[in-house]
Structures are given as structure tokens and as C-alpha cells.
DNA sequence: TCGCACACGTTATAGCATAACGCAATTGAT
DNA sequence: ATCAATTGCGTTATGCTATAACGTGTGCGA
């Protein structure tokens, strides 16, 4: 079961995120898509829910915003934990993955007999250019 | 420079969090403190800002809520990265720290020439009892 | 063709957070 | 002692984020 064909609304939201150079809030997406007929937040949130489910989009919890996934070739295999650096200066977000962290977290959590459903790792700071 | 004496409002908010068995939203805290004279969200948010600054409280980004720090003895030395497991069933939050993860993250971030200001690690799932 | 699942549209509402104003108390330098 | 700067506080208003609840239409398998 891969990624199904996107609906019109899902494609529009995906396009807005893919063409943005940084994260977008749901309401910012709404504003960008008003010319395409969007009128209400739910149109955005419903599309985002599906895109998140398909793994095409990530939610940045510390920003209440969304970014397109930057691993376009890996949408099939669940590529485990995703981490982000988020620059407070320019807003740039960089996605990365690391096996070692994933395994270490997995071990710590297992020691609590805790069953992980979703892991959030977000690092706020300043990128090279904005230091 | 340790933790200064808390003001009345800060103490009340700290007390509400310390006596709660789980995370509280700012508005929930407000409601709990109405009998003590709280009337507006800002009274809570301003106290929380200070408590966060002093390291007595943590913000859970994925929940928009706050918890008392469970490392009461370590408020002086910055104890680095804090991570949480958050049970979707019972709401229980467990705070933990791990040197290995901290160092691995530090190395990955340094490779990007990124300067970390704050790191968020939150693991949503189900605890042993709620599995 | 009936029933079901799903996407969609709309209105209304709930929940989270801050802006902007003014006042009072404290501190510390001159 | 006094003035200026800082900090905490209270209040009103506002803005941003997210979901509830209702109804419509469409496609598709039993």
C-alpha cells in the first residue's frame, strides 16, 4: 500500500508546501490557496491529515507549522525517526535521520516498557549563515 | 546565579504544576487558580515564562502544555537535553536524560555548523499500563 | 440499487497565545 | 534624596491554531 493518488485539495496543499522554501502554517497555506477556491481552514487541515498519513509532509510541533518531506525517494519504507534543525534567523528547516539516535531512543523507551507511536525531535537554533 | 525567589504568581503556577499528576495547559492552570485571584491568561503565561527560564518547568510542544521538572536537585547545572515519553492513554509524562543521545545530536548538528539553542524530544505512544 | 466510505463545503466554536496599555514596587546610580 | 530603569502585575482586546457538527455529492462493491 503505497501513496494513493492525491485529490485536488491534497495536491494543492502539497504544491504549496513543496514550492515554499520553509515551513508554512495551515492558515498561511489557506491564504495561498484562496485563489484556487479554498475558503475554510478545514479544507487545509483535512488535506494535511492525509499528507501526514502518507508521509509526504511533516508537522513541526514547536512551530505549529508544516513542511514537505525532503526524502522524496523513500515514501514507501517508513524511514523511522525524523529530526529537524530549525533556524530562528532565516526559518530554514533541515530534515535528517540517524540510526544511532533511533536505536538509542528505542532502547531507552523499551526499558520503560513504553510503546512508541510517534517521535518528535526538533532543534531550534541558528544555522551557519545566521550565526 | 541560581533560581531567584519566586513571586506570588510564579509560586501559585508552580504549585499547580507540581501538584498535578500530569501536564497542564495554560488555560487549565488559569481555571485552577481563579480562586486565588487569577483572571487572565497573561497572568499564567508570564509566570510560566519565568519558570521555564529558571528550568523549573518544561513545555511539551506536542501538547501545548506544561509540566514541572522532575529533577528537583539539578536546577543549578543545566542538565542538557531533556526528553519525554507521553502516554496517549493515561496522559502520564516521563522525563529522561541521556548523554549518548545528547552527544550524537550535538555531533550531527555541528556537522551542519548549526548552533543549538533548544532541543525538543517528545515520544508519543502508550505506557506499560495502557498498552 | 442500496449502503457504505470518502472527499468536500460551510458555519460555528473551542483552545492557545500575545499586543498594548497603564500602574505599582524595587533597585541602583548620581 | 531623587530620578531613571527594571520588573511584576492587572486588564482589555485581539490574533492564531484547530476541531465540532452538519449536510452534499460521488464512486463502488454487495
Amino acid at each position: 500500500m503505497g501513496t494513493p493518488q492525491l485529490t485536488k485539495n491534497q495536491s494543492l496543499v502539497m504544491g504549496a508546501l513543496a514550492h515554499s522554501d520553509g515551513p508554512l502554517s495551515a492558515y498561511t497555506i489557506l491564504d495561498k490557496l484562496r485563489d484556487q477556491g479554498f475558503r475554510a481552514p478545514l479544507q487545509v487541515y483535512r488535506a494535511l491529515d492525509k499528507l501526514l498519513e502518507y508521509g509526504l509532509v511533516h508537522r513541526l510541533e514547536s512551530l505549529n507549522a508544516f513542511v514537505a518531506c525532503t526524502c522524496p525517494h523513500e515514501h514507501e519504507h517508513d524511514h523511522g525517526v525524523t529530526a529537524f534543525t530549525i533556524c530562528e534567523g532565516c526559518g530554514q528547516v533541515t530534515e535528517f535521520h540517524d540510526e544511532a539516535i533511533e536505536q538509542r531512543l528505542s532502547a531507552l523507551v523499551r526499558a520503560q516498557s513504553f510503546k512508541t507511536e510517534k517521535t518528535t525531535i526538533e532543534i531550534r537554533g541558528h544555522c551557519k549563515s545566521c550565526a
Side-chain angles (χ1 to χ4, degrees), chain A:
Chain A
M1 183 221 109
T3 302
Q5 189 65 24
L6 299 184
T7 68
K8 178 152 173 281
N9 284 2
Q10 288 160 18
S11 294
L12 286 167
V13 169
M14 190 64 216
L17 285 170
H19 294 109
S20 164
D21 54 350
L24 298 176
S25 77
Y27 279 74
T28 302
I29 294 170
L30 174 58
D31 287 338
K32 282 183 182 291
L33 295 180
R34 286 205 189 274
D35 293 347
Q36 276 72 40
F38 274 50
R39 323 243 67 212
L42 263 198
Q43 294 175 282
V44 177
Y45 282 108
R46 289 203 273 232
L48 285 171
D49 283 346
K50 285 300 181 182
L51 295 172
L52 288 166
E53 180 186 328
Y54 302 152
L56 299 174
V57 162
H58 299 290
R59 175 185 172 83
L60 299 174
E61 301 288 352
S62 68
L63 245 39
N64 293 326
F66 304 85
V67 285
C69 177
T70 54
C71 302
H73 310 305
E74 309 176 32
H75 290 144
E76 297 310 314
H77 26 88
D78 191 3
H79 40 333
V81 176
T82 303
F84 304 90
T85 50
I86 302 171
C87 177
E88 315 260 7
C90 61
Q92 180 184 98
V93 171
T94 302
E95 176 180 345
F96 62 97
H97 303 268
D98 186 74
E99 269 292 321
I101 288 180
E102 191 166 342
Q103 289 180 14
R104 182 78 182 150
L105 270 183
S106 167
L108 289 166
V109 157
R110 195 166 43 244
Q112 289 181 32
S113 300
F114 189 93
K115 177 146 190 303
T116 297
E117 258 124 50
K118 172 156 197 284
T119 300
T120 297
I121 302 180
E122 297 178 16
I123 302 174
R124 305 284 291 264
H126 285 87
C127 72
K128 184 171 187 165
S129 309
C130 297

